[in-house]
Amino acid sequence: MVNKVDEQWITSVGIDLGTSTTKFIVSRLRLGRVSSTISLPRYQIVERHLLYASPIYSTPLINREEIDTEQVSRILQKEYEKAGLQMSDIKSGAVIITGETATKRNAQQIVHLLAERSGDFVVATAGADLEGVLAGKGSGAESRSKKIRGVIANIDIGGGTANIALFQRGKVIGTVTFHIGGRLISLDPRGEIHYVSPHLNRWLTEKGWKIEKGQLITYEELKEITVELAHTLLSYLKGGGKEEALAHLFVGQPLEKIPTIDEIIISGGVGQLMLEQAPSSLQEVAVHGDFGPLLAHSLKEVSLHYPFQVIPPEQTVRATVIGAGMQSTEISGSTVYINHSLLPIRNLPVLKLELDGSEMSAIDRIKQKIEGIMDTGARLFDPFSSPPFALALHGLTYCSYRSLQTLADELTFHYKKRFSESRLMVVITENDMAKALGQSLSIRCQGNPHVICIDQIRVEHGDYIDLGEPISDTMIPVVIKTLAF
């Protein structure tokens, strides 16, 4: 039961700069103590409210290769003012640059600009896997998967990509992304082609179509293309889709194994268009200057021939930004060991060290495993960065005082040996031992490096984390950016 005395609210923002649209939301997250008064304090986010949602802006571009930085900045400033928000109010949130926008020439410049102008603790990242997961949280697919026995695929289709996240019992079990989106072909009401995405063009060529800028296309030809795209996408999710042309549509790697999918939810701009009247002419198709409306309704028609139940989304075009602003944060707490002056920390990769109780009583085994994980860290990450990674300790259900001291000895020795230039060591534990371990490490390190230990956070190899500024000196908002499964 939540103790009202111990609850707090924090403000979170979400910004989604997508291929075709840009959105901004503000939400409030209630942190509540979920442990009893005689236990160590344990906090979770127990309530989420959407406070403000911006209009949907067309993503400002200077040309097809470059985002209009100044215009993005003006939009952001205007929306902060309308929301009545100061940057110092923000404790968590995420800036997501998505789809084809992430490939623009100045995308990284935009990331840094948004991070600087969005508050003290806002994630700035771009990644199809993370985008798919956040969209699935914002659309309601994650919560739906907790209610049913089976697998739900959330297909978030925007202007440039279809980001798919698979959920089972509230957990992400896979992600895959395709170059399929509403703006991959742009045209005018006469049917004159203005643009074809190079990714889509390779698939079209393999399929026997030749579509070029300046060419006139008919409604029937365009319908044939969108129907085939819909079949390609859904056949893959059904477990088929072995055709060679499919390779041209993948962003990154395909799934290693496709589970049996019971339900699908379609969100994003194309999900929104599915709710509108189907276009019956080129004039109606090109109402937004692209083939998005026809793609949406072809997908709707074709899905009837597949063994998936189509579930309406809770959010469509704002699913990703709501997932970013309301669903991306977790809370560390109870026994953290932190140095306020070193926070926030962004984009820190995670290395995971598996330990168990039997190994903790065998000193040689502990030494061997810690030496091994530090060697791995030195191979994978820049040994001169500070810190090069966060080390996550997994599997320790109990740790005696003697074992804790051995752990601190070995972590200190091997970290200082391989990462002598690092000014900070970050350790993550799953249970309530971060303060004791952090103190033991700090005594040994004497500020070279400094030490941060956090607890109650579950992460995996391949994750990245952001650590925010402390709340009430005991809690840290943590954004886990799971990029690999």
Side-chain angles (χ1 to χ4, degrees):
M1 177 181 295
V2 176
N3 184 336
K4 296 285 186 186
V5 177
D6 294 322
E7 70 178 33
Q8 290 198 42
W9 290 87
I10 63 173
T11 302
S12 175
V13 301
I15 301 168
D16 180 4
L17 192 65
T19 304
S20 52
T21 59
T22 292
K23 288 86 71 178
F24 172 94
I25 68 146
V26 180
S27 56
R28 293 275 282 166
L29 312 178
R30 183 161 69 90
L31 314 183
R33 179 169 172 161
V34 293
S35 57
S36 70
T37 54
I38 59 173
S39 303
L40 286 170
R42 185 179 297 273
Y43 291 86
Q44 289 181 359
I45 295 170
V46 295
E47 195 174 345
R48 305 168 198 267
H49 288 296
L50 180 64
L51 290 185
Y52 176 79
S54 77
I56 296 171
Y57 293 92
S58 293
T59 297
L61 300 174
I62 295 174
N63 50 50
R64 291 201 178 275
E65 304 300 325
E66 204 168 354
I67 305 163
D68 188 337
T69 308
E70 289 304 316
Q71 184 61 18
V72 169
S73 181
R74 283 195 287 273
I75 290 173
L76 195 60
Q77 184 177 356
K78 177 182 173 185
E79 290 303 321
Y80 267 78
E81 290 173 1
K82 287 170 67 177
L85 195 64
Q86 301 294 320
M87 291 184 186
S88 57
D89 297 334
I90 302 166
K91 292 296 182 185
S92 182
V95 178
I96 308 292
I97 296 188
T98 56
E100 291 211 327
T101 306
T103 69
K104 301 299 182 192
R105 196 164 51 200
N106 61 341
Q108 285 305 309
Q109 180 189 349
I110 293 286
V111 165
H112 293 303
L113 178 145
L114 294 180
E116 289 170 4
R117 302 188 185 183
S118 303
D120 291 335
F121 177 52
V122 174
V123 182
T125 188
D129 295 309
L130 179 61
E131 181 186 353
V133 172
L134 292 177
K137 291 183 174 186
S139 74
E142 181 198 42
S143 58
R144 170 75 182 170
S145 75
K146 294 176 181 175
K147 298 175 183 174
I148 70 163
R149 292 185 177 183
V151 176
I152 293 185
N154 190 79
I155 309 172
D156 189 81
I157 312 182
T161 56
N163 303 91
I164 301 167
L166 305 179
F167 294 89
Q168 187 172 36
R169 297 183 179 179
K171 293 185 178 178
V172 179
I173 60 172
T175 61
V176 63
T177 300
F178 291 92
H179 287 291
I180 296 177
R183 291 213 165 176
L184 296 191
I185 295 179
S186 63
L187 70 162
D188 63 26
R190 297 181 300 111
E192 181 178 339
I193 299 293
H194 290 188
Y195 170 74
V196 183
S197 162
H199 303 289
L200 186 64
N201 219 351
R202 286 192 281 271
W203 176 83
L204 288 168
T205 302
E206 288 271 351
K207 289 284 187 179
W209 282 295
K210 186 177 181 181
I211 308 294
E212 296 177 327
K213 182 179 177 181
Q215 170 188 340
L216 289 175
I217 195 168
T218 66
Y219 174 90
E220 289 72 22
E221 289 169 330
L222 208 55
K223 180 69 183 285
E224 194 177 346
I225 291 171
T226 56
V227 166
E228 185 63 22
L229 263 181
H231 274 300
T232 296
L233 178 62
L234 296 177
S235 293
Y236 175 79
L237 293 178
K238 188 185 171 186
K242 309 298 183 186
E243 60 189 60
E244 291 184 8
L246 185 64
H248 299 302
L249 296 180
F250 283 119
V251 180
Q253 298 299 314
L255 290 164
E256 289 186 7
K257 182 181 178 183
I258 302 173
T260 300
I261 295 169
D262 300 278
E263 297 179 356
I264 61 172
I265 291 177
I266 302 176
S267 59
V270 169
Q272 177 67 34
L273 291 170
M274 289 172 67
L275 304 175
E276 300 175 4
Q277 187 173 355
S280 58
S281 65
L282 275 177
Q283 288 79 6
E284 291 178 5
V285 170
V287 64
H288 303 296
D290 55 53
F291 79 154
L294 196 54
L295 176 63
H297 284 276
S298 293
L299 192 57
K300 188 175 180 179
E301 293 168 17
V302 168
S303 67
L304 299 175
H305 302 287
Y306 285 82
F308 316 123
Q309 187 175 357
V310 181
I311 303 298
E314 293 175 7
Q315 296 285 340
T316 53
V317 71
R318 290 190 175 89
T320 302
V321 74
I322 286 177
M326 298 178 69
Q327 306 282 348
S328 63
T329 302
E330 295 191 19
I331 299 297
S332 171
S334 81
T335 72
V336 297
Y337 184 87
I338 54 179
N339 182 330
H340 293 214
S341 67
L342 300 174
L343 297 171
I345 298 172
R346 296 187 177 111
N347 293 325
L348 191 59
V350 172
L351 264 186
K352 191 173 179 181
L353 176 59
E354 299 277 356
L355 295 169
D356 60 38
S358 60
E359 287 173 327
M360 291 306 293
S361 60
I363 293 176
D364 288 345
R365 182 66 178 146
I366 295 175
K367 289 180 178 178
Q368 184 183 23
K369 295 202 79 167
I370 291 177
E371 185 173 13
I373 198 72
M374 293 297 178
D375 283 342
T376 300
R379 287 197 303 273
L380 292 178
F381 308 113
D382 179 3
F384 298 104
S385 60
S386 179
F389 58 86
L391 182 63
L393 305 180
H394 174 72
L396 287 177
T397 54
Y398 169 74
C399 188
S400 68
Y401 176 81
R402 183 180 176 187
S403 297
L404 187 79
Q405 299 309 307
T406 301
L407 192 60
D409 284 340
E410 296 304 317
L411 286 173
T412 303
F413 175 76
H414 290 289
Y415 191 84
K416 295 183 76 163
K417 179 180 175 182
R418 287 163 183 76
F419 309 103
S420 58
E421 300 296 318
S422 178
R423 296 185 303 107
L424 175 63
M425 175 166 40
V426 177
V427 180
I428 304 169
T429 70
E430 293 180 347
N431 301 313
D432 300 314
M433 58 178 285
K435 179 166 282 187
L437 180 59
Q439 288 173 338
S440 298
L441 289 168
S442 186
I443 289 169
R444 287 160 175 77
C445 293
Q446 293 294 303
N448 184 27
H450 293 289
V451 174
I452 288 178
C453 268
I454 62 172
D455 61 21
Q456 297 176 14
I457 297 294
R458 290 183 181 274
V459 286
E460 299 291 339
H461 275 305
D463 288 350
Y464 281 70
I465 59 169
D466 291 346
L467 308 180
E469 295 185 344
I471 302 166
S472 302
D473 292 328
T474 58
M475 296 178 283
I476 297 179
V478 179
V479 174
I480 302 170
K481 295 178 282 188
T482 299
L483 304 180
F485 303 95

